[in-house]
Amino acid sequence: MRAYIRKKYSLVLLLLAVGVSVFAEERPYLCELGLQAGAGYYVGDATPHIFQNVRETYGLHFRYKFTKRWAIQAKGLTQRITGNNYAFDASHHLVRQNTFWQNRLVNVDVMAECNFLRFGAKNKYDKTLYPYTPYIFLGVGAAMYGSEMNKFNRVAAYLPFGIGFKWKFYDWMGLNIAWQHNLYFADNLETGANLDNTYNLNGSNIMNFDLTGQLTFGIVFEFGKAKKICRICNSD
């Protein structure tokens, strides 16, 4: 009789262990490092439209994922910007020249991200996860640049914002596409004296702020697995 009871309890404990393992959620990666490269542009006194005079941009990012929808990203990008030079004519009007100025910026920002879908590697315990998602982001940043190419003697704060797309093609690897705009609290990204702060409104008039944009493609590598959790006890 005692042997029968022991076998019965052993069977119950085995079934409970199997049940717990069934509901144990696979551990996601919480952190990632990424390499990004693409095309950048500038919009300001010398260039009125986006994607004019496109030049290279590249850099690195680190992302920490709080939940399947929310993350924070720290990014550092450098980009080269350019535009037509301008000179005053006899009537003291600025006239566009056929020559170009160039400048280089180093942008560092921190942004909050929101995924449209619950993002993560597919697993048999959670059917609501998607290995791809569009996302939006907004944050704060600071840039170094110069009055001359590669001089870096100026600093300005900026507001980074944009949209992107994430695709997880492997358990710890993925691709990102991001279209980011940086609204600078300054009007002196240009290197030409005729274009820098033309109306003496630098930093005080949002309608006169300079703007840059970057369309980047990146590869990401994930690391730092989360602790094991019970899916029936905790979910985001």
Side-chain angles (χ1 to χ4, degrees):
M1 184 67 178
R2 290 181 179 177
Y4 172 76
I5 293 174
R6 282 199 298 269
K7 288 181 180 180
K8 185 175 180 180
Y9 278 109
S10 298
L11 181 60
V12 170
L13 290 174
L14 179 62
L15 290 174
L16 287 174
V18 171
V20 170
S21 65
V22 167
F23 287 107
E25 186 175 278
E26 292 183 1
R27 293 184 296 158
Y29 291 99
L30 298 179
C31 304
E32 68 179 46
L33 289 174
L35 304 172
Q36 298 190 19
Y41 56 87
Y42 139 90
V43 178
D45 296 314
T47 305
H49 305 297
I50 63 174
F51 290 111
Q52 283 187 286
N53 302 317
V54 172
R55 295 294 186 272
E56 76 282 353
T57 182
Y58 52 88
L60 304 168
H61 83 260
F62 169 81
R63 178 180 285 125
Y64 182 82
K65 293 171 278 187
F66 295 101
T67 69
K68 301 297 189 296
R69 289 187 181 273
W70 290 96
I72 188 168
Q73 180 184 182
K75 181 190 294 181
L77 288 179
T78 181
Q79 71 175 120
R80 188 162 55 103
I81 61 173
T82 186
N84 290 88
N85 285 313
Y86 280 73
F88 288 101
D89 61 12
S91 302
H92 204 68
H93 294 127
L94 281 173
V95 178
R96 188 172 66 176
Q97 308 296 298
N98 291 326
T99 58
F100 289 83
W101 56 267
Q102 293 189 74
N103 207 350
R104 182 167 293 279
L105 291 80
V106 176
N107 299 310
V108 178
D109 47 56
V110 178
M111 297 173 291
E113 300 179 348
C114 179
N115 299 325
F116 286 22
L117 305 173
R118 295 185 74 248
F119 180 63
K122 283 188 175 181
N123 67 68
K124 57 185 177 181
Y125 309 122
D126 191 344
K127 300 301 183 181
T128 67
L129 289 178
Y130 293 84
Y132 55 84
T133 181
Y135 69 101
I136 56 175
F137 52 89
L138 175 69
V140 293
M144 292 193 310
Y145 54 100
S147 55
E148 299 176 12
M149 181 69 169
N150 296 326
K151 196 169 183 179
F152 300 111
N153 59 348
R154 292 173 173 171
V155 178
Y158 66 87
L159 181 71
F161 58 94
I163 59 174
F165 186 83
K166 302 174 184 177
W167 175 40
K168 193 181 192 62
F169 62 83
Y170 192 66
D171 185 41
W172 52 273
M173 292 180 66
L175 294 175
N176 282 184
I177 302 173
W179 186 18
Q180 178 173 331
H181 289 87
N182 303 321
L183 182 64
Y184 295 83
F185 299 101
D187 178 36
N188 60 352
L189 298 189
E190 308 87 358
T191 59
N194 293 332
L195 294 172
D196 281 354
N197 196 21
T198 309
Y199 304 106
N200 295 317
L201 295 172
N202 193 37
S204 62
N205 184 351
I206 191 172
M207 302 304 295
N208 206 50
F209 289 165
D210 286 332
L211 180 141
T212 65
Q214 301 113 2
L215 181 61
T216 57
F217 298 83
I219 183 167
V220 301
F221 305 92
E222 301 186 10
F223 62 96
K225 280 193 171 184
K227 294 181 180 180
K228 290 182 178 180
I229 58 175
C230 177
R231 187 168 176 264
I232 63 174
C233 304
N234 189 8
S235 62
D236 55 353

